[in-house]
Amino acid sequence: MKEFKKSRRNFINKAIAVGGLGIVAPSLVFTAKGNSIGVTDEQKYQRPKVLFFDVNETLLDLNVMKKSIGNALGGRPDLVSLWFTTMLQYSLVTTVGNQYHDFGKIGGAALKMVGLNNGVVITDEQAGEAIKPILSLPAHPEVKEALILLKKEGYKLVSFTNSSNKAVESQLKNAGIYDLFDDRLSVEDVGKFKPHYDAYNWAARKMGFESKDCMLIAAHGWDVAGANWAGWQTAFVSRPGQQLFALANPPEINEKDLLLIAKQLVKL
Amino acid sequence: MKEFKKSRRNFINKAIAVGGLGIVAPSLVFTAKGNSIGVTDEQKYQRPKVLFFDVNETLLDLNVMKKSIGNALGGRPDLVSLWFTTMLQYSLVTTVGNQYHDFGKIGGAALKMVGLNNGVVITDEQAGEAIKPILSLPAHPEVKEALILLKKEGYKLVSFTNSSNKAVESQLKNAGIYDLFDDRLSVEDVGKFKPHYDAYNWAARKMGFESKDCMLIAAHGWDVAGANWAGWQTAFVSRPGQQLFALANPPEINEKDLLLIAKQLVKL
């Protein structure tokens, strides 16, 4: 199985996506010398047995946060991307240092740092207030329909987030999509943030599946990269402001919203 | 020794820095209830046996880069911090995914992502050109004098960077400070970026010292946090635009430039 997996990855690396989007299932592969060779059926993608969904940005719309965070930074919505990236960076800083803190706490610390670098002193209380709206984000418009479609199709659906267990419970309930998931996992239980290899391994084992049977669906280049490195299939939701990491393998599916991804998965 | 180390850390966590800067050696510690207790001599800081210096920003002035990167992003110097943070984030993304790429390559990929998110398409070649100035940055004005002072004082000086071996050789030679170091280490040899716990452990072993004998001197909150979690002493160079991470222990020394730090180290 491993060999097939490896050759499939090499195949993907060399493949040219059909139309740039959609399922990356080219009918031709180009060799190093530019010659095309046929692709056999066994190289096509298998139906995953379990779908893991990233939550923030992937399912839920972070735009509300952008306002509260921008306001905390002294009316600088242009600094929101820097804040979010700093939060992601420091989640990994703690992970590689064998530390763990609640994602929200790291977000607060990151907000204070970005503030200080831009002449704005933010207290712990103010940071907490600015981040609070993350608990009541609306789902992106197509999300509910997509999840219902996948559920009807027999897929096992699991949310898998860097948010804490408590936070994601509020998030999914407030967005009205809590009951659509068979299970809800947080990296809090493994103590290492995505995209740590161990986080995906833990999630697969927790759900009782092998890595090859898992697919991660996420709107972050780093998340699909990490899941792929852990042997999972991946689907990238190319929401505005989100990009793939050029030094990672491309995802099996690449679509601009979740419903389009669901429709690809229904076909498998 | 470990117990002393631990109690010293707890002590630091509770300590109030004298004047906010300088060596954190308060004469009073406040207990949870706000009572003050005396501090014994054995809790004071020991002279480190080896000083590790971060390179980018800590020793070398990245301002030249800011121009070339800002230009590549379509004349957006305001996006330079986002680029640098994205590069740091993705260096850890690769590390936690058990991958490794040259720091410059990750910088190029990060630049392309930030570009795309802001409507600017950057080719690999353009990214390489934009990042090239990192090889010929000038040292910050006080760096050479500080290094010479520490060398005369008998300290063992080692550079320790996320840049590749080849890159740091150019960097230090171009800045005219190559020969001031007893050794030059790159995370390239351990395949994990700072602040991974293993990177500091590897560097200490490579130089033949125990963690407690090492001090990291860096202008990045994440670097001093990671070194501290690995059992090293730390000194933070609070250069403009650099902040400590609020969820980590404070450094032993906190000064605004390297000469001030060197003067503190001479006193030990």
Side-chain angles (χ1 to χ4, degrees):
Chain A
M1 200 61 214
K2 267 201 171 172
E3 279 193 13
F4 161 66
K5 192 86 196 170
K6 200 178 166 188
S7 74
R8 190 173 70 84
R9 289 295 173 204
N10 289 339
F11 157 72
I12 295 171
N13 281 337
K14 289 175 194 158
I16 294 173
V18 179
L21 292 177
I23 290 197
V24 185
S27 55
L28 292 175
V29 175
F30 293 86
T31 63
K33 289 186 176 176
N35 303 318
S36 62
I37 54 173
V39 173
T40 61
D41 276 346
E42 64 175 358
Q43 286 169 316
K44 289 200 178 145
Y45 305 107
Q46 294 168 334
R47 184 184 177 107
K49 291 184 181 164
V50 52
L51 303 176
F52 292 90
F53 295 81
D54 173 54
V55 174
N56 300 307
E57 195 77 69
T58 301
L59 301 177
L60 307 182
D61 187 350
L62 278 165
N63 274 312
V64 181
M65 296 277 321
K66 289 177 182 171
K67 200 176 165 190
S68 69
I69 296 291
N71 286 348
L73 290 167
R76 294 285 305 274
D78 57 301
L79 292 175
V80 170
S81 291
L82 180 59
W83 163 70
F84 198 74
T85 306
T86 305
M87 173 165 69
L88 293 171
Q89 180 203 351
Y90 274 85
S91 69
L92 295 181
V93 164
T94 57
T95 291
V96 298
N98 300 334
Q99 308 291 311
Y100 180 80
H101 289 284
D102 181 286
F103 198 44
K105 263 201 174 175
I106 292 171
L111 188 59
K112 288 167 72 173
M113 294 170 93
V114 173
L116 283 172
N117 280 340
N118 289 278
V120 185
V121 177
I122 300 171
T123 65
D124 285 340
E125 200 183 356
Q126 289 168 331
E129 279 302 307
I131 290 169
K132 217 181 200 174
I134 205 168
L135 300 177
S136 48
L137 303 171
H140 285 290
E142 85 288 2
V143 163
K144 200 163 183 174
E145 185 183 347
L147 293 174
I148 290 170
L149 178 64
L150 290 167
K151 208 172 168 64
K152 273 191 189 155
E153 183 66 20
Y155 277 106
K156 191 176 271 290
L157 310 183
V158 180
S159 66
F160 181 31
T161 180
N162 276 341
S163 291
S164 67
N165 285 305
K166 198 178 158 191
V168 77
E169 185 181 335
S170 298
Q171 288 184 301
L172 297 180
K173 282 183 178 168
N174 286 332
I177 54 173
Y178 184 89
D179 293 330
L180 292 172
F181 294 97
D182 294 284
D183 211 336
R184 288 151 290 267
L185 304 185
S186 160
V187 298
E188 185 181 5
D189 287 1
V190 67
K192 298 180 185 184
F193 284 95
K194 288 188 292 175
H196 199 294
Y197 191 91
D198 293 353
Y200 303 100
N201 262 3
W202 165 80
R205 291 175 64 87
K206 174 95 180 163
M207 294 307 300
F209 291 97
E210 290 182 56
S211 303
K212 67 179 177 55
D213 298 322
C214 301
M215 173 177 270
L216 179 80
I217 301 173
H220 298 116
W222 49 268
D223 210 350
V224 295
N228 171 283
W229 291 327
W232 291 20
Q233 294 188 61
T234 61
F236 180 60
V237 195
S238 59
R239 299 206 185 277
Q242 302 302 329
Q243 303 297 336
L244 288 167
F245 181 41
L247 302 177
N249 296 317
E252 276 76 8
I253 304 177
N254 183 342
E255 295 283 3
K256 68 179 180 179
D257 72 35
L258 202 64
L259 191 55
L260 292 170
I261 288 175
K263 286 178 178 168
Q264 299 281 6
L265 285 166
V266 164
K267 286 187 206 157
L268 290 181
Chain B
M1 199 62 213
K2 266 200 172 173
E3 279 192 14
F4 160 66
K5 191 86 195 171
K6 201 177 166 189
S7 74
R8 189 174 68 84
R9 289 294 174 205
N10 289 339
F11 157 72
I12 295 171
N13 281 337
K14 289 174 193 157
I16 294 172
V18 179
L21 292 176
I23 290 196
V24 185
S27 55
L28 292 175
V29 174
F30 292 86
T31 63
K33 290 187 176 175
N35 304 317
S36 62
I37 54 172
V39 173
T40 62
D41 276 344
E42 66 176 356
Q43 286 168 316
K44 288 200 178 146
Y45 306 107
Q46 294 168 333
R47 183 184 178 106
K49 291 184 180 162
V50 52
L51 303 177
F52 291 90
F53 295 81
D54 174 55
V55 174
N56 299 307
E57 195 77 70
T58 301
L59 302 177
L60 308 182
D61 186 350
L62 279 165
N63 274 311
V64 182
M65 296 276 322
K66 289 176 182 172
K67 199 175 165 189
S68 68
I69 296 290
N71 286 348
L73 290 167
R76 294 283 306 271
D78 58 302
L79 292 175
V80 170
S81 292
L82 180 59
W83 162 69
F84 198 74
T85 306
T86 305
M87 172 165 70
L88 294 171
Q89 180 203 352
Y90 274 85
S91 70
L92 295 181
V93 164
T94 56
T95 291
V96 298
N98 300 334
Q99 309 291 312
Y100 181 79
H101 290 283
D102 181 287
F103 198 44
K105 262 201 174 175
I106 293 171
L111 188 59
K112 288 167 72 174
M113 293 171 93
V114 173
L116 284 172
N117 280 341
N118 289 278
V120 184
V121 177
I122 300 172
T123 65
D124 285 341
E125 200 183 355
Q126 288 168 331
E129 279 303 307
I131 290 169
K132 216 179 199 173
I134 205 169
L135 299 177
S136 49
L137 302 171
H140 285 290
E142 85 288 2
V143 163
K144 200 163 183 174
E145 185 184 348
L147 293 173
I148 290 170
L149 177 64
L150 290 166
K151 207 172 170 65
K152 273 190 189 156
E153 182 66 20
Y155 277 107
K156 191 176 271 289
L157 310 184
V158 180
S159 66
F160 181 32
T161 180
N162 276 341
S163 291
S164 67
N165 284 306
K166 198 177 159 192
V168 77
E169 185 182 334
S170 298
Q171 288 184 301
L172 297 181
K173 282 184 176 167
N174 286 331
I177 54 174
Y178 183 89
D179 292 329
L180 292 172
F181 293 96
D182 294 284
D183 210 336
R184 288 150 291 266
L185 304 185
S186 160
V187 299
E188 185 180 6
D189 288 1
V190 66
K192 297 179 186 185
F193 284 96
K194 289 188 292 176
H196 198 294
Y197 191 91
D198 293 353
Y200 304 100
N201 263 3
W202 165 79
R205 291 174 64 87
K206 174 96 180 164
M207 294 306 300
F209 291 97
E210 289 181 57
S211 303
K212 67 179 176 57
D213 298 323
C214 302
M215 173 177 269
L216 179 80
I217 300 173
H220 298 116
W222 49 267
D223 210 349
V224 295
N228 171 281
W229 291 327
W232 292 19
Q233 295 188 61
T234 62
F236 180 61
V237 195
S238 59
R239 299 206 185 278
Q242 302 301 329
Q243 303 297 335
L244 288 167
F245 181 41
L247 302 177
N249 296 318
E252 276 75 9
I253 304 177
N254 182 343
E255 295 283 2
K256 67 179 181 179
D257 73 35
L258 201 64
L259 191 55
L260 292 171
I261 288 175
K263 286 177 178 169
Q264 299 282 7
L265 286 166
V266 164
K267 286 186 206 158
L268 291 181

